[in-house]
Amino acid sequence: MRMGKGKTKLMAAGMSLTVFAGLLAGCSGSNKEESSSSPKTSAASPSASGSSAASEQPSKIDTSKKVDLQFYMLGDAPKDLPLIQEEINKMALEDLNATVTFNFTTWTDWSQKYKLLLSSGQPIDLIFTADWTDYQSYAKKGAFLPLDELLPQAAPKLYEFVPKDMWDAVKIDQKIYTVPATWKEYVTEGIAYREDLRKKYNLPKPESIETLEQYLDGIRKNEPDLLPLADNQGYHTESIRQLTTKTVNSSNKVPYGLNIMYDAPRDVTSYWGSPQHLADLKMYKRWADKGYWPKNVLNIKDSGHDVFASGKAAALLGSENPNRFNDSVIKIKSLHPDWELGYFPYPNAKGFAQPVHPIHNGFAIPRSSKNPERALAFYEKLVTDKRYNWLTQYGIEGKNFEVEDGKYYKMIGDAQSNGFPREGMQGWAWRNPEFMLFEKSFDAVLQMFSDFDKIAKPDIFQGFPEDWTPYQAEKAAVEQVEKQYLYPLNVGLIDDVEGGLKLFMEKAKQAGLDKIQEEYKKQWIKYLDDSGIQ
């Protein structure tokens, strides 16, 4: 992609992303893409009526019958959720003759729970979607209702509020199956670390494999009671790929052990079983022997982000995009005001950054919904009505948060005492740039986004609609093999690394890895052809 011709085709493939970003900038001066501006712009309050700039045209649905909507979120519920739900239901009952029950999966085995929710047939009216929850695949398999006809009828303000290019970008087989978030952000990850300890012990900034290992060695030597690296399930493996390669997926991994680089997306090889894979696994074994993580790391239920943000570890690889890093800063500052955090974003190592694709955060209506029209009308309220939006994003004003200097979000209490921290419901999908409040510390993130804008490239990966139907059985089998044979290698629990990798590859191939990789590559190349990407 370094050549002019290839770059032109790549930019053409990302045109939808570029256009919707421009439209968003034009319709609202309050989003993050104006990252070099002051937070006053980013946190601009909406009009007193609480509505967005969208049309005031009312929805055309029958609300004569009272309904209770089942709303499913990922992650853990905030402590004050019952209070928030009660306040929301007072308004929803009056506005839509509906109440809502907010359900959460918890972060433990959320992926399996998500699959079960969509396959069990239980009534669900709204559910979170994202590229990392396999939105494209679920949409192609018919898990969600198409919204093209429902949106103008049940949620006309929402339909007008979301730019057309964003609606187009989330379509699967020419149909809309999710409502995308309209806030432009970067979720490329990075290394978060204790900057105060780095300075105290004169350690290098962890910005490469070499300096990262030197930093972790220094922590191990000087702070023996502090966990050097927060981890669970060997998540560091994906982060090392982000740090050391130009992988096409900038916010997670390319699945099934495949190797696809941004500059040569048609060159699809297998990372699993390669000499580089073996070298990486030997490095992880060395890290495990040094005590960078506990020996029971595969049994740790808390996310690496939570372990780091609670002050129990000195560093975290991945899981920390700029927004989540800011969350860690806030939580650490509230508990330990004298601590200082540092951050190295992977785009600085890769040389480019990719803003999120519109499918990154969204909400869909599953096929099992009994109230699709009312669900969309309620979701419209979450996005376009300031009362609903602030309650579900920040909690109760005066109890959970206050507005500082007329423009900043300020938590009341600290991370342990506050029952509804900022975005406590993981409400990333219904962020409204016109209503958003940021902490003062978010200035650093806005600056980071401004820097990323200068090296931005279109996201060519997240628009790929994988269809795993041809290898569904093999996919499940390989996932089990990965957990049984590769996870222990990832965290250094196997003494014979070379023998362990050989055994994993044998088991994976028996489970159907070759078939998966071949079919995935065929679909990927077709997607590149259809998108005009060389």
Side-chain angles (χ1 to χ4, degrees):
M1 289 303 168
R2 291 193 180 100
M3 300 302 293
K5 182 178 179 181
K7 183 177 180 181
T8 300
K9 292 190 175 183
L10 177 58
M11 292 305 293
M15 187 62 68
S16 174
L17 183 63
T18 304
V19 172
F20 90 69
L23 286 173
L24 186 55
C27 74
S28 170
S30 59
N31 62 43
K32 267 192 192 173
E33 62 193 277
E34 298 191 13
S35 10
S36 60
S37 63
S38 70
K40 178 184 291 186
T41 308
S42 297
S45 297
S47 62
S49 66
S51 66
S52 73
S55 167
E56 293 298 324
Q57 179 183 4
S59 61
K60 302 172 183 177
I61 60 173
D62 180 8
T63 59
S64 58
K65 178 184 176 182
K66 178 181 177 295
V67 300
D68 182 68
L69 302 172
Q70 297 298 315
F71 191 111
Y72 272 84
M73 294 295 303
L74 299 187
D76 302 303
K79 288 184 295 185
D80 281 354
L81 178 66
L83 297 177
I84 303 303
Q85 183 170 297
E86 181 181 359
E87 292 301 313
I88 287 291
N89 283 338
K90 290 177 184 177
M91 297 188 296
L93 197 58
E94 179 178 348
D95 294 337
L96 300 168
N97 197 21
T99 54
V100 60
T101 300
F102 293 112
N103 304 281
F104 288 76
T105 63
T106 76
W107 285 122
T108 304
D109 298 325
W110 69 265
S111 182
Q112 293 300 319
K113 294 173 184 175
Y114 191 84
K115 292 178 183 177
L116 183 60
L117 286 170
L118 289 176
S119 62
S120 65
Q122 73 179 86
I124 300 172
D125 296 299
L126 286 160
I127 194 167
F128 178 78
T129 65
D131 46 291
W132 48 276
T133 66
D134 295 323
Y135 158 70
Q136 304 98 308
S137 297
Y138 280 116
K140 286 185 75 71
K141 293 168 72 68
F144 309 127
L145 289 175
L147 305 180
D148 305 75
E149 296 181 6
L150 281 174
L151 278 162
Q153 295 297 316
K157 288 168 61 178
L158 179 63
Y159 187 52
E160 186 174 333
F161 177 75
V162 177
K164 180 181 183 300
D165 283 76
M166 295 189 72
W167 288 125
D168 290 341
V170 301
K171 285 182 177 179
I172 302 295
D173 296 332
Q174 304 305 310
K175 293 288 185 181
I176 297 171
Y177 292 99
T178 192
V179 180
T182 60
W183 182 51
K184 180 189 174 186
E185 63 174 326
Y186 291 86
V187 296
T188 49
E189 298 182 338
I191 301 172
Y193 58 93
R194 286 280 301 278
E195 171 68 2
D196 57 314
L197 296 180
R198 188 195 70 79
K199 292 177 178 177
K200 180 178 180 180
Y201 300 117
N202 194 28
L203 303 174
K205 292 184 177 181
E207 299 179 348
S208 66
I209 291 293
E210 294 74 22
T211 54
L212 171 63
E213 193 160 356
Q214 291 168 16
Y215 173 83
L216 296 174
D217 285 344
I219 295 297
R220 190 65 176 158
K221 175 184 176 182
N222 294 292
E223 296 282 343
D225 295 330
L226 183 65
L227 196 62
L229 197 59
D231 202 347
N232 72 345
Q233 304 299 313
Y235 189 81
H236 60 269
T237 59
E238 297 156 22
S239 301
I240 294 303
R241 299 288 289 157
Q242 295 291 339
L243 177 64
T244 58
T245 73
K246 294 184 178 182
T247 177
V248 73
N249 189 352
S250 63
S251 60
N252 208 299
K253 63 180 178 179
V254 178
Y256 315 123
L258 287 167
N259 210 38
I260 307 176
M261 296 297 121
Y262 191 93
D263 290 340
R266 292 176 177 272
D267 184 13
V268 182
T269 59
S270 180
Y271 167 68
W272 282 352
S274 68
Q276 185 60 55
H277 191 198
L278 177 60
D280 289 345
L281 291 176
K282 288 182 176 179
M283 179 175 67
Y284 303 146
K285 172 62 177 171
R286 182 173 74 246
W287 288 5
D289 292 343
K290 288 183 176 183
Y292 287 179
W293 51 72
K295 293 187 179 299
N296 69 334
V297 62
L298 293 181
N299 297 320
I300 294 176
K301 299 301 181 183
D302 294 333
S303 71
H305 170 79
D306 289 339
V307 172
F308 178 73
S310 64
K312 298 176 183 177
L316 174 63
L317 304 184
S319 186
E320 290 294 276
N321 60 55
N323 203 17
R324 285 174 68 81
F325 172 69
N326 185 67
D327 177 64
S328 294
V329 170
I330 295 167
K331 290 179 179 177
I332 289 289
K333 282 293 184 183
S334 69
L335 299 173
H336 305 282
D338 56 325
W339 291 7
E340 182 183 359
L341 299 186
Y343 184 70
F344 177 73
Y346 294 142
N348 289 5
K350 297 159 74 79
F352 64 93
Q354 295 163 277
V356 296
H357 192 281
I359 66 171
H360 184 70
N361 289 315
F363 259 85
I365 299 179
R367 287 275 179 185
S368 61
S369 172
K370 295 184 179 297
N371 311 289
E373 291 185 340
R374 207 82 59 95
L376 264 185
F378 174 75
Y379 196 73
E380 178 181 79
K381 290 290 187 183
L382 285 185
V383 176
T384 65
D385 190 310
K386 179 184 173 183
R387 301 169 302 155
Y388 287 78
N389 190 271
W390 273 25
L391 264 174
T392 54
Q393 294 288 21
Y394 313 123
I396 299 172
E397 188 171 3
K399 173 178 171 55
N400 303 115
F401 79 100
E402 58 188 18
V403 181
E404 190 175 28
D405 298 334
K407 57 186 178 182
Y408 291 115
Y409 166 93
K410 183 178 181 182
M411 176 189 289
I412 294 177
D414 57 35
Q416 292 182 337
S417 64
N418 190 292
F420 196 98
R422 186 179 183 276
E423 296 189 341
M425 287 177 62
Q426 291 78 253
W428 314 304
W430 64 88
R431 289 166 172 158
N432 183 328
E434 298 178 13
F435 300 163
M436 292 180 75
L437 293 174
F438 301 101
E439 304 88 348
K440 287 184 177 180
S441 63
F442 211 82
D443 284 357
V445 178
L446 295 174
Q447 182 58 52
M448 200 180 306
F449 282 7
S450 178
D451 294 338
F452 289 166
D453 283 341
K454 299 172 185 175
I455 57 172
K457 291 186 178 183
D459 186 331
I460 64 171
F461 183 78
Q462 303 304 342
F464 170 53
E466 177 194 359
D467 178 10
W468 65 63
T469 304
Y471 47 86
Q472 187 165 357
E474 290 84 0
K475 180 178 185 292
V478 168
E479 287 174 353
Q480 290 304 312
V481 169
E482 185 180 0
K483 290 180 180 178
Q484 184 175 353
Y485 295 97
L486 185 57
Y487 280 22
L489 283 166
N490 287 339
V491 297
L493 297 181
I494 306 298
D495 290 331
D496 181 5
V497 177
E498 193 164 353
L501 177 57
K502 182 179 179 181
L503 179 60
F504 163 67
M505 291 304 296
E506 289 175 356
K507 296 293 185 180
K509 287 178 179 293
Q510 290 172 9
L513 178 63
D514 290 340
K515 176 182 177 181
I516 295 173
Q517 290 185 336
E518 182 179 352
E519 176 62 28
Y520 186 95
K521 179 179 178 180
K522 186 195 313 179
Q523 292 184 28
W524 172 255
I525 296 299
K526 183 180 185 302
Y527 160 72
L528 295 180
D529 289 341
D530 293 344
S531 303
I533 302 172
Q534 294 301 315

